mmCIF file of all heavy atoms in Angstrom:
data_model
loop_
_atom_site.group_PDB
_atom_site.id
_atom_site.type_symbol
_atom_site.label_atom_id
_atom_site.label_comp_id
_atom_site.label_asym_id
_atom_site.label_seq_id
_atom_site.Cartn_x
_atom_site.Cartn_y
_atom_site.Cartn_z
ATOM 1 N N VAL A 284 -1.577 -14.342 -4.257
ATOM 2 C CA VAL A 284 -0.610 -13.291 -3.993
ATOM 3 C C VAL A 284 0.322 -13.877 -2.903
ATOM 4 O O VAL A 284 1.521 -13.635 -2.926
ATOM 5 C CB VAL A 284 -1.190 -11.924 -3.687
ATOM 6 C CG1 VAL A 284 -2.021 -11.999 -2.379
ATOM 7 C CG2 VAL A 284 -0.095 -10.834 -3.583
ATOM 8 N N THR A 289 6.481 -13.474 -1.720
ATOM 9 C CA THR A 289 7.227 -13.988 -0.557
ATOM 10 C C THR A 289 8.725 -14.055 -0.892
ATOM 11 O O THR A 289 8.991 -14.314 -2.118
ATOM 12 C CB THR A 289 6.741 -15.376 0.017
ATOM 13 O OG1 THR A 289 7.072 -16.329 -1.029
ATOM 14 C CG2 THR A 289 5.317 -15.361 0.291
ATOM 15 N N ARG A 295 12.649 -19.578 -4.916
ATOM 16 C CA ARG A 295 12.277 -20.710 -5.632
ATOM 17 C C ARG A 295 12.227 -20.505 -7.141
ATOM 18 O O ARG A 295 12.616 -21.320 -7.934
ATOM 19 C CB ARG A 295 10.877 -21.071 -5.056
ATOM 20 C CG ARG A 295 10.316 -22.465 -5.548
ATOM 21 C CD ARG A 295 9.080 -22.860 -4.675
ATOM 22 N NE ARG A 295 8.041 -21.823 -4.779
ATOM 23 C CZ ARG A 295 7.513 -21.173 -3.695
ATOM 24 N NH1 ARG A 295 7.971 -21.503 -2.445
ATOM 25 N NH2 ARG A 295 6.583 -20.296 -3.839
ATOM 26 N N ALA A 329 -4.355 21.194 1.770
ATOM 27 C CA ALA A 329 -5.127 22.208 2.461
ATOM 28 C C ALA A 329 -5.148 22.011 3.965
ATOM 29 O O ALA A 329 -5.451 22.944 4.751
ATOM 30 C CB ALA A 329 -6.608 22.192 1.938
ATOM 31 N N PRO A 331 -4.431 22.025 7.648
ATOM 32 C CA PRO A 331 -3.459 22.778 8.495
ATOM 33 C C PRO A 331 -2.769 22.014 9.614
ATOM 34 O O PRO A 331 -1.707 22.257 10.065
ATOM 35 C CB PRO A 331 -4.235 23.937 9.008
ATOM 36 C CG PRO A 331 -5.617 23.485 9.114
ATOM 37 C CD PRO A 331 -5.797 22.466 7.905
ATOM 38 N N ASN A 340 -0.189 0.525 -1.252
ATOM 39 C CA ASN A 340 0.009 0.351 -2.595
ATOM 40 C C ASN A 340 1.357 0.619 -3.084
ATOM 41 O O ASN A 340 1.986 1.441 -2.585
ATOM 42 C CB ASN A 340 -0.989 1.236 -3.418
ATOM 43 C CG ASN A 340 -2.423 0.970 -3.166
ATOM 44 O OD1 ASN A 340 -2.747 -0.134 -2.531
ATOM 45 N ND2 ASN A 340 -3.349 1.913 -3.432
ATOM 46 N N VAL A 341 1.804 -0.173 -4.079
ATOM 47 C CA VAL A 341 3.135 0.111 -4.620
ATOM 48 C C VAL A 341 3.125 0.951 -5.937
ATOM 49 O O VAL A 341 4.169 1.256 -6.488
ATOM 50 C CB VAL A 341 3.891 -1.230 -4.926
ATOM 51 C CG1 VAL A 341 4.086 -2.002 -3.591
ATOM 52 C CG2 VAL A 341 3.173 -2.119 -5.938
ATOM 53 N N ALA A 367 21.932 -7.953 -1.666
ATOM 54 C CA ALA A 367 23.227 -8.004 -0.982
ATOM 55 C C ALA A 367 23.434 -6.862 -0.090
ATOM 56 O O ALA A 367 23.610 -6.951 1.102
ATOM 57 C CB ALA A 367 24.461 -8.241 -1.873
ATOM 58 N N PRO A 377 13.014 -4.285 -17.420
ATOM 59 C CA PRO A 377 12.740 -5.586 -16.845
ATOM 60 C C PRO A 377 13.951 -5.990 -16.045
ATOM 61 O O PRO A 377 15.135 -5.880 -16.341
ATOM 62 C CB PRO A 377 12.547 -6.531 -17.972
ATOM 63 C CG PRO A 377 12.130 -5.661 -18.997
ATOM 64 C CD PRO A 377 12.738 -4.352 -18.812
ATOM 65 N N ASN A 380 17.302 -11.593 -14.029
ATOM 66 C CA ASN A 380 17.647 -12.374 -12.764
ATOM 67 C C ASN A 380 19.208 -12.779 -12.900
ATOM 68 O O ASN A 380 19.496 -13.922 -12.946
ATOM 69 C CB ASN A 380 16.778 -13.571 -12.649
ATOM 70 C CG ASN A 380 17.070 -14.205 -11.256
ATOM 71 O OD1 ASN A 380 17.263 -13.406 -10.281
ATOM 72 N ND2 ASN A 380 17.151 -15.464 -11.210
ATOM 73 N N GLY A 383 24.080 -7.650 -10.436
ATOM 74 C CA GLY A 383 24.410 -6.509 -11.161
ATOM 75 C C GLY A 383 23.784 -5.258 -10.372
ATOM 76 O O GLY A 383 23.065 -4.532 -11.002
ATOM 77 N N ASP A 396 11.517 -3.512 -5.032
ATOM 78 C CA ASP A 396 11.579 -2.920 -3.704
ATOM 79 C C ASP A 396 10.273 -2.915 -3.130
ATOM 80 O O ASP A 396 9.579 -1.777 -2.955
ATOM 81 C CB ASP A 396 12.243 -1.549 -3.895
ATOM 82 C CG ASP A 396 12.426 -0.881 -2.457
ATOM 83 O OD1 ASP A 396 12.505 -1.559 -1.468
ATOM 84 O OD2 ASP A 396 12.468 0.391 -2.415
ATOM 85 N N TRP A 399 7.327 -8.125 1.045
ATOM 86 C CA TRP A 399 6.678 -9.392 0.903
ATOM 87 C C TRP A 399 6.220 -10.003 2.238
ATOM 88 O O TRP A 399 6.688 -9.478 3.274
ATOM 89 C CB TRP A 399 7.592 -10.451 0.208
ATOM 90 C CG TRP A 399 7.787 -10.148 -1.290
ATOM 91 C CD1 TRP A 399 6.780 -9.632 -2.221
ATOM 92 C CD2 TRP A 399 8.936 -10.299 -2.114
ATOM 93 N NE1 TRP A 399 7.351 -9.414 -3.431
ATOM 94 C CE2 TRP A 399 8.671 -9.951 -3.402
ATOM 95 C CE3 TRP A 399 10.221 -10.764 -1.842
ATOM 96 C CZ2 TRP A 399 9.514 -9.882 -4.428
ATOM 97 C CZ3 TRP A 399 11.169 -10.826 -2.832
ATOM 98 C CH2 TRP A 399 10.805 -10.410 -4.158
ATOM 99 N N ILE A 410 4.950 5.579 11.247
ATOM 100 C CA ILE A 410 3.506 5.277 11.159
ATOM 101 C C ILE A 410 2.823 5.195 12.458
ATOM 102 O O ILE A 410 1.806 5.800 12.736
ATOM 103 C CB ILE A 410 3.240 4.090 10.271
ATOM 104 C CG1 ILE A 410 3.725 4.238 8.785
ATOM 105 C CG2 ILE A 410 1.767 3.591 10.259
ATOM 106 C CD1 ILE A 410 3.744 2.889 8.052
ATOM 107 N N ALA A 439 -5.358 2.943 16.586
ATOM 108 C CA ALA A 439 -5.862 4.295 16.548
ATOM 109 C C ALA A 439 -6.943 4.435 17.668
ATOM 110 O O ALA A 439 -7.018 5.388 18.435
ATOM 111 C CB ALA A 439 -6.454 4.631 15.192
ATOM 112 N N ARG A 440 -7.872 3.482 17.641
ATOM 113 C CA ARG A 440 -8.994 3.512 18.627
ATOM 114 C C ARG A 440 -8.485 3.501 20.170
ATOM 115 O O ARG A 440 -8.967 4.249 20.938
ATOM 116 C CB ARG A 440 -9.848 2.260 18.434
ATOM 117 C CG ARG A 440 -10.967 2.345 17.482
ATOM 118 C CD ARG A 440 -11.670 0.890 17.376
ATOM 119 N NE ARG A 440 -12.461 0.789 18.534
ATOM 120 C CZ ARG A 440 -13.869 0.878 18.467
ATOM 121 N NH1 ARG A 440 -14.334 1.107 17.333
ATOM 122 N NH2 ARG A 440 -14.529 0.683 19.518
ATOM 123 N N THR A 446 -12.683 6.606 14.081
ATOM 124 C CA THR A 446 -12.269 5.798 12.979
ATOM 125 C C THR A 446 -13.374 5.624 11.954
ATOM 126 O O THR A 446 -14.576 5.450 12.335
ATOM 127 C CB THR A 446 -11.877 4.335 13.574
ATOM 128 O OG1 THR A 446 -12.938 3.798 14.255
ATOM 129 C CG2 THR A 446 -10.663 4.410 14.511
ATOM 130 N N LEU A 451 -15.582 -0.423 -0.726
ATOM 131 C CA LEU A 451 -16.698 -0.909 -1.541
ATOM 132 C C LEU A 451 -17.700 -1.733 -0.766
ATOM 133 O O LEU A 451 -18.935 -1.660 -0.960
ATOM 134 C CB LEU A 451 -16.065 -1.690 -2.727
ATOM 135 C CG LEU A 451 -16.977 -1.966 -3.815
ATOM 136 C CD1 LEU A 451 -17.476 -0.758 -4.530
ATOM 137 C CD2 LEU A 451 -16.185 -2.846 -4.940
ATOM 138 N N THR A 469 -14.026 6.533 -5.715
ATOM 139 C CA THR A 469 -14.121 7.775 -6.503
ATOM 140 C C THR A 469 -15.388 8.642 -6.100
ATOM 141 O O THR A 469 -15.411 9.803 -6.538
ATOM 142 C CB THR A 469 -14.144 7.614 -8.043
ATOM 143 O OG1 THR A 469 -15.230 6.713 -8.351
ATOM 144 C CG2 THR A 469 -12.817 6.871 -8.453
#
Side-chain angles (χ1 to χ4, degrees):
V284 65
T289 65
R295 189 170 57 238
N340 299 342
V341 298
N380 188 42
D396 184 22
W399 287 326
I410 294 170
R440 274 176 75 106
T446 56
L451 195 59
T469 56

